[in-house]
Amino acid sequence: MLNQIIESKKEEIKKLILPEDANLPHLSFYDALMYPQRELALIAEVKKASPSKGLIKEDFHPVEIAQAYEKGGADCLSVLTDNPFFQGKREFLTEVKKTVNLPVLRKDFIIDHIQIDEAKRIGADAVLLIGEALEPSLLKELYYYAGELALDVLVEVHDQQTLEAVLKVITPKILGVNNRNLKNFEVNIDQLEEMVTSIPKGTLLVSESGLYTKEDLKLVQQYGAKAVLVGESLMRKDDQTLAIKQLFGEV
């Protein structure tokens, strides 16, 4: 599936026309995670669908969802902009950024500089770079290019091998460990425990995917996560504000 998405993205880039700059205020994604509202920072994801789960939210209104997340105490937002596989749009991110006062991550499969230019123009505060989708040399290039545009970067890896390859070329400020295998979509939260000893001190660790309960959050926090990225379990609820409070065991 990851290979299919990357091939699709290559074709998309050939036709990509950069939008006008939305000129939206920049917020620090990193600082919001470093100084969260709770003990564990939350990146709440605005996501309509996914290849593994299909349609997640039929009645999908990204701005309303983002506002509900903000009200519930999310520290940052992640907005899906990939269309063929996640039914996202870059316009969703711009609309969300205009209406909330939270840093926003562009969640997409970035493989080229032009997508980072695009992210900056549509109002993103941060971009995602996936270790399994990029050669280490290209990941390094895109990481530093994003930095030149004042964008934070969430570098994501799934396994130890990819983590080691990434750490040979950069020391990410923010590192996400995806509990979901992007090749077969199986979820394993416990792998974080095995990988954490290899993560450099000072790198902010984010646990991503497959997090549904307060116990899940406690577990990844014990393993060393300072933040979590949660999408599906929040998106499937009718009330996203209440969903966050339930996830943290506050109601």
Side-chain angles (χ1 to χ4, degrees):
M1 179 55 71
L2 181 60
N3 291 338
Q4 280 183 47
I5 293 171
I6 298 305
E7 288 308 310
S8 166
K9 207 53 61 176
K10 287 176 183 175
E11 293 305 309
E12 188 180 301
I13 287 166
K14 289 177 187 175
K15 304 168 196 166
L16 178 58
I17 298 169
L18 289 174
E20 291 293 315
D21 194 332
N23 286 315
L24 295 169
H26 177 75
L27 299 171
S28 173
F29 189 80
Y30 177 77
D31 285 352
L33 297 182
M34 277 294 291
Y35 308 104
Q37 298 183 60
R38 297 176 176 88
E39 198 177 337
L40 189 66
L42 172 65
I43 307 165
E45 191 152 86
V46 179
K47 176 163 71 172
K48 183 177 182 180
S50 77
S52 59
K53 302 291 184 176
L55 186 64
I56 294 168
K57 189 111 182 141
E58 192 169 354
D59 188 25
F60 182 74
H61 303 284
V63 169
E64 290 175 19
I65 291 163
Q67 289 171 332
Y69 279 153
E70 184 174 36
K71 193 176 171 187
D75 298 288
C76 298
L77 300 179
S78 165
V79 178
L80 263 297
T81 57
D82 173 79
N83 182 258
F85 296 90
F86 290 86
Q87 297 186 38
K89 292 180 183 177
R90 67 187 187 186
E91 290 82 7
F92 291 163
L93 190 146
T94 307
E95 290 163 11
V96 163
K97 187 67 197 282
K98 283 177 179 175
T99 54
V100 298
N101 191 35
L102 295 176
V104 180
L105 169 78
R106 181 190 186 179
K107 186 85 175 283
D108 210 316
F109 296 81
I110 290 179
I111 57 172
D112 193 279
H113 294 72
I114 194 170
Q115 293 167 286
I116 297 176
D117 291 329
E118 181 186 31
K120 179 72 173 177
R121 290 195 184 198
I122 64 176
D125 300 294
V127 292
L128 176 74
L129 295 178
I130 301 173
E132 277 78 10
L134 296 163
E135 288 295 324
S137 57
L138 179 56
L139 187 145
K140 178 184 177 181
E141 209 176 299
L142 296 176
Y143 181 87
Y144 285 112
Y145 184 66
E148 288 170 19
L149 298 184
L151 294 172
D152 286 315
V153 181
L154 173 60
V155 177
E156 178 186 295
V157 298
H158 171 69
D159 59 29
Q160 183 71 29
Q161 186 179 354
T162 307
L163 173 62
E164 289 171 7
V166 167
L167 293 178
K168 282 178 183 172
V169 294
I170 59 166
T171 302
K173 279 178 73 177
I174 312 170
L175 180 78
V177 173
N178 195 338
N179 304 312
R180 178 173 285 115
N181 186 323
L182 292 175
K183 292 171 184 171
N184 59 23
F185 295 120
E186 289 177 3
V187 173
N188 176 16
I189 294 176
D190 294 322
Q191 69 173 3
L192 185 63
E193 184 181 24
E194 300 156 20
M195 294 170 66
V196 77
T197 53
S198 305
I199 295 167
K201 277 191 172 182
T203 291
L204 194 153
L205 178 60
V206 183
S207 178
E208 307 173 25
S209 300
L211 304 168
Y212 294 92
T213 64
K214 181 184 175 184
E215 287 67 38
D216 291 339
L217 301 193
K218 278 185 178 175
L219 187 61
V220 296
Q221 194 172 6
Q222 283 170 15
Y223 293 158
K226 301 294 182 191
V228 289
L229 189 153
V230 185
E232 185 195 340
S233 65
L234 298 176
M235 287 298 307
R236 287 198 183 277
K237 300 289 179 66
D238 292 330
D239 180 339
Q240 273 67 50
T241 299
L242 180 62
I244 288 176
K245 291 179 178 177
Q246 287 172 334
L247 178 65
F248 280 89
E250 295 168 354
V251 289

